[in-house]
């Protein structure tokens, strides 16, 4: 364990000893920083560690279901909205639309314009990627699209359409579209997909649904060292399988570890440390039906990777995830933050170097104050950027920083 995490654990334990044991919040009850989100594999309530107060500022309002946010090296923020559309926030605070062609967007239910990430070499390439529903000649699917944006952040142009196509979608409802994008430490592009509410998909290596895929961002080809590359077909793209609906992906700084956040059924939202070839353990194949009564992680299945954290019953609807990095975060440095939709806030997890959960709490400044939280993402400037997902054109992009 790093020395910084060791100090944080000590602070947590000291505070817990002084304050006593808090009771878990009940269903629908806002969870204070000194109490737990519902249920915990650690089996004990926690208290927030000693930490700075946080300032929350509204960067943009009037958005409608913003899904993801990325920050360019020049400080510009790029935000997408599920119904289609890109917005840039320039370093001087000016807000402008980025013109882009979304005429073929399939946006229904949980699917639309979703994951967004900038290329690691954005300074040279001006390239970014989206994960989105598409409709072509009446056929619907999900695709990863590569774009470039002009230096003035006025217009975006498709340069690989699709970079990776044919990801299945629930054509009737858009349910379980997945679609989180992040780069792993090797430079490969990770694509989290949903199972489309089809029972056979998570355990079937012959489909791209219910997986975390790993691809070459330059070509869209499977990463050559993927665990099932020798099988060809869809399996060659698969990095992990057995997922229900991957809504968050986060890379732990300095470690190479990748964590996924998934939404459960009526129990067990999960955060899991992924490993190549690992099985998320979801198998809702009920003889042709979608049997959601099965466990989110069934330990009887092969190659199952147990969850680091699980919500238990009820679920809180976990979503985007990011690690906090940088001395300015003081007691919060090293925490994994996870957006919470149903319980409306941000979950903070302290995780040991080996993936064990040490402590959990909620960020008090974001608890129930801004509604549903879709994405949390640390920017290159060190600030935490947060998108709300309340709909009705009343959503916001927030900037969260430690109070000086």
């Amino acid at each position: 364990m790093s020395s910084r995490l060791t100090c944080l654990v000590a602070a947590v334990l000291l505070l817990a000893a002084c304050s006593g044991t808090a009771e878990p919040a009940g269903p629908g009850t806002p969870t204070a920083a000194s109490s737990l989100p519902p249920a915990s594999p650690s089996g004990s309530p926690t208290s927030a560690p000693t930490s700075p107060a946080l300032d929350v500022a509204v960067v943009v309002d009037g958005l409608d279901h913003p899904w993801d946010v990325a920050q360019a090296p020049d400080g510009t923020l790029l935000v997408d909205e599920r119904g289609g559309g890109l917005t840039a926030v320039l370093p001087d605070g000016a807000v402008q639309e980025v013109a882009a062609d979304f005429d073929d967007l399939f946006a229904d239910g949980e699917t639309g314009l979703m994951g967004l990430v900038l290329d690691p070499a954005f300074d040279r390439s001006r390239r970014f990627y989206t994960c989105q529903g598409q409709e072509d000649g009446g056929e619907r699917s999900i695709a990863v699209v590569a774009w470039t944006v002009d230096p003035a952040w006025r217009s975006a142009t498709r340069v690989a359409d699709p970079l990776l196509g044919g990801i299945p979608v629930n054509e009737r409802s858009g349910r379980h579209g997945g679609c989180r994008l992040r780069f792993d430490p090797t430079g490969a592009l990770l694509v989290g997909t949903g199972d489309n509410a089809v029972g056979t998909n998570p355990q079937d290596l012959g489909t791209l649904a219910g997986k975390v895929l790993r691809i070459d961002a330059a070509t869209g080809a499977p990463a050559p060292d993927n665990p099932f590359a020798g099988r060809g077909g869809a399996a060659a793209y698969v990095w992990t399988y057995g997922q229900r609906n991957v809504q968050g992906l986060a890379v732990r700084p300095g470690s190479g570890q990748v964590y996924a956040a998934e939404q459960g059924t009526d129990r067990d939202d999960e955060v899991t440390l992924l490993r190549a070839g690992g099985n998320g353990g979801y198998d809702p194949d009920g003889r042709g039906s979608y049997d959601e009564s099965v466990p989110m992680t069934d330990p009887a299945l092969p190659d199952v990777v147990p969850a680091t954290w699980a919500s238990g019953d009820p679920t809180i609807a976990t979503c985007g995830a990011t690690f906090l990095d940088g001395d300015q975060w003081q007691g919060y440095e090293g925490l994994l933050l996870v957006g919470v939709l149903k319980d409306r806030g941000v979950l903070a997890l302290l995780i040991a170097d080996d993936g064990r959960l040490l402590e959990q709490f909620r960020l008090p400044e974001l608890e129930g104050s801004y509604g549903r939280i879709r994405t949390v993402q640390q920017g290159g400037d060190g600030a935490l950027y947060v998108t709300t997902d309340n709909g009705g054109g009343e959503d916001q992009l927030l900037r969260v920083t430690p109070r000086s």
Side-chain angles (χ1 to χ4, degrees), residues 97-189:
E97 178 186 357
V98 180
D101 179 9
F102 292 113
D103 286 347
D104 62 350
L105 182 68
F106 167 57
D108 191 9
E110 299 173 12
T111 295
L113 178 59
M114 297 177 283
L116 167 72
V117 69
L118 302 188
D119 193 271
F122 180 84
D123 259 351
R124 299 191 304 273
S125 67
R126 305 290 302 177
R127 187 167 163 124
F128 69 94
Y129 307 87
T130 59
C131 187
Q132 59 194 70
Q134 286 192 330
E135 185 165 6
D136 183 11
E139 292 192 8
R140 294 169 173 172
S141 63
I142 289 174
V144 178
V145 178
W147 306 72
T148 56
V149 63
D150 71 299
W153 295 92
R154 288 289 183 185
S155 64
T157 304
R158 299 188 191 199
V159 294
D161 181 21
L163 179 70
L164 173 63
I167 302 172
V169 68
N170 188 313
E171 298 190 39
R172 292 179 297 174
S173 67
R175 191 178 181 207
H176 294 183
C179 244
R180 188 66 68 178
L181 301 177
R182 291 294 180 261
F183 278 90
D184 77 7
T186 73
L189 179 59

Side-chain angles (χ1 to χ4, degrees), residues 15-22 34 46-47:
L15 183 57
C18 294
S19 61
T21 300
S34 60
T46 66
S47 299

Side-chain angles (χ1 to χ4, degrees), residues 28-353:
T29 303
T31 309
S34 60
S35 59
L36 280 176
S40 163
S42 67
S44 60
T46 66
S47 299
T50 303
S51 57
L54 302 177
D55 287 324
V56 182
V58 177
V59 179
V60 182
D61 57 16
L63 299 170
D64 190 26
H65 297 293
W67 216 92
D68 215 342
V69 58
Q71 187 171 43
D74 69 356
T76 297
L77 295 163
L78 184 63
V79 184
D80 62 357
E81 296 173 85
R82 192 173 66 201
L86 297 168
T87 298
V89 184
L90 303 183
D92 64 2
V95 179
Q96 63 190 37
E97 178 186 357
V98 180
D101 179 9
F102 292 113
D103 286 347
D104 62 350
L105 182 68
F106 167 57
D108 191 9
E110 299 173 12
T111 295
L113 178 59
M114 297 177 283
L116 167 72
V117 69
L118 302 188
D119 193 271
F122 180 84
D123 259 351
R124 299 191 304 273
S125 67
R126 305 290 302 177
R127 187 167 163 124
F128 69 94
Y129 307 87
T130 59
C131 187
Q132 59 194 70
Q134 286 192 330
E135 185 165 6
D136 183 11
E139 292 192 8
R140 294 169 173 172
S141 63
I142 289 174
V144 178
V145 178
W147 306 72
T148 56
V149 63
D150 71 299
W153 295 92
R154 288 289 183 185
S155 64
T157 304
R158 299 188 191 199
V159 294
D161 181 21
L163 179 70
L164 173 63
I167 302 172
V169 68
N170 188 313
E171 298 190 39
R172 292 179 297 174
S173 67
R175 191 178 181 207
H176 294 183
C179 244
R180 188 66 68 178
L181 301 177
R182 291 294 180 261
F183 278 90
D184 77 7
T186 73
L189 179 59
L190 301 175
V191 184
T193 72
D195 67 6
N196 316 142
V198 174
T200 56
N201 279 346
Q203 296 296 317
D204 181 3
L205 292 177
T207 176
L208 300 178
K211 311 291 188 296
V212 175
L213 313 175
R214 186 166 172 267
I215 67 173
D216 182 334
T219 65
D225 56 345
N226 280 351
F228 308 106
R231 301 191 187 188
Y237 293 89
V238 173
W239 193 55
T240 70
Y241 67 107
Q243 267 78 41
R244 183 175 187 264
N245 192 24
V246 178
Q247 291 284 286
L249 290 170
V251 176
R252 189 172 196 165
S255 74
Q257 294 177 340
V258 179
Y259 285 79
E262 287 190 76
Q263 293 176 358
T265 55
D266 59 354
R267 67 184 193 280
D268 290 338
D269 295 324
E270 293 183 342
V271 172
T272 304
L273 172 58
L274 302 180
R275 61 170 172 79
N279 185 350
Y282 191 53
D283 187 15
D285 183 12
R287 297 181 180 178
S289 68
Y290 188 59
D291 181 7
E292 295 186 86
S293 69
V294 303
M296 270 291 285
T297 300
D298 183 348
L301 294 172
D303 300 318
V304 165
V305 179
T308 291
W309 171 92
S311 67
D313 181 6
T315 54
I316 60 175
T318 48
C319 200
T322 193
F323 280 92
L324 289 179
D325 190 34
D327 292 343
Q328 75 275 16
W329 289 101
Q330 301 174 41
Y332 281 173
E333 185 181 12
L335 293 175
L336 176 63
L337 302 186
V338 184
V340 175
L341 292 166
K342 186 165 65 176
D343 257 14
R344 304 182 178 186
V346 174
L347 170 67
L349 302 176
L350 175 62
I351 300 172
D353 293 346

